[in-house]
Amino acid sequence: MSNARLWRDPAPLVLASTSATRRALLASTGLPFETVRPEVDERAIEAGARAEGLAPDALAVLLARQKALSVSGARPGALVIGADQTLALGERLFHKPASREEARAQIAALAGRTHALHSGVAIARDGAVVAAFVETARLVMRPLDADAIDLYLASAGEAVTTSVGGYQLEGVGAHLFARVEGDHATILGLPILPLLAAFRDLGALAL
């Protein structure tokens, strides 16, 4: 439940995302906010950034900035949050698998190795970014043979195509991992503590 007393800024808070997970994370803070779908071509932005040699963590911030800016221009005065996440194994980027077979291939590639989840966040007001940051979590996936991957896919069902890497750590995907280093909210795609700190720096919070 939101608590308007926590929000000091005279303009509304807007989350430029339709992600149910990000909405739930932000709602858990008690802040009142609205959600708006950002209009960005993520793959085109990524292609240009990678051609210029942009690292996966910087790409996450760039995507977050573009999402925030795509909404900010139409919401004068509002503080708009943009967020995006990249999953990288070294410099190799992963996306949401389009099929069960793609999910199988992604999990096989990640098995027995450590990959990074970079969660980028940007806050914009009146068409300008006023804060931006990235938080990184490192996840160590267990070595998995073909039978183990098949059992996971059968257990997780269609959820394997809804998350980058083919897993949801908050669900059956937890069985895939040996160790996780990083904040849980970062893994889910919206680092809450750094976000709240940014709002305090902007004078937007009462607490």
Side-chain angles (χ1 to χ4, degrees):
M1 181 178 295
S2 65
N3 186 339
R5 291 176 296 183
L6 295 172
W7 188 246
R8 175 180 288 170
D9 199 271
L13 175 62
V14 178
L15 175 63
S17 174
T18 56
S19 162
T21 300
R22 290 193 178 100
R23 286 199 305 268
L25 284 167
L26 188 56
S28 72
T29 68
L31 295 178
F33 66 95
E34 309 164 37
T35 58
V36 177
R37 179 188 294 275
E39 299 297 334
V40 298
D41 186 339
E42 296 181 42
R43 297 290 78 84
I45 293 169
E46 178 183 322
R50 297 294 280 176
E52 295 176 4
L54 202 65
D57 57 345
L59 174 60
V61 176
L62 175 62
L63 290 166
R65 291 171 65 94
Q66 293 303 312
K67 287 184 175 181
L69 291 172
S70 76
V71 172
S72 177
R75 299 301 306 270
L79 283 171
V80 180
I81 306 167
D84 211 304
Q85 191 175 56
T86 57
L87 186 159
L89 181 64
E91 292 299 307
R92 177 184 173 185
L93 287 177
F94 287 68
H95 302 103
K96 289 181 182 179
S99 66
R100 184 187 181 91
E101 288 309 309
E102 282 192 21
R104 184 194 309 278
Q106 288 193 12
I107 293 164
L110 296 171
R113 307 177 75 178
T114 300
H115 65 268
L117 281 174
H118 304 291
S119 288
V121 177
I123 303 170
R125 193 197 300 265
D126 294 326
V129 173
V130 295
F133 61 88
V134 64
E135 293 287 315
T136 297
R138 302 194 183 281
L139 293 81
V140 183
M141 190 175 284
R142 297 168 44 225
L144 301 165
D145 61 21
D147 288 343
I149 294 174
D150 284 342
L151 177 57
Y152 163 70
L153 292 171
S155 301
E158 293 304 312
V160 299
T161 61
T162 63
S163 296
V164 63
Y167 64 82
Q168 292 177 317
L169 189 65
E170 66 273 27
V172 179
H175 291 274
L176 303 178
F177 291 91
R179 189 170 71 256
V180 171
E181 300 170 358
D183 183 75
H184 191 61
T186 295
I187 294 168
L188 296 182
L190 188 66
I192 290 297
L193 297 184
L195 177 63
L196 294 177
F199 284 143
R200 290 191 195 97
D201 290 343
L202 293 168
L205 293 184
L207 181 59

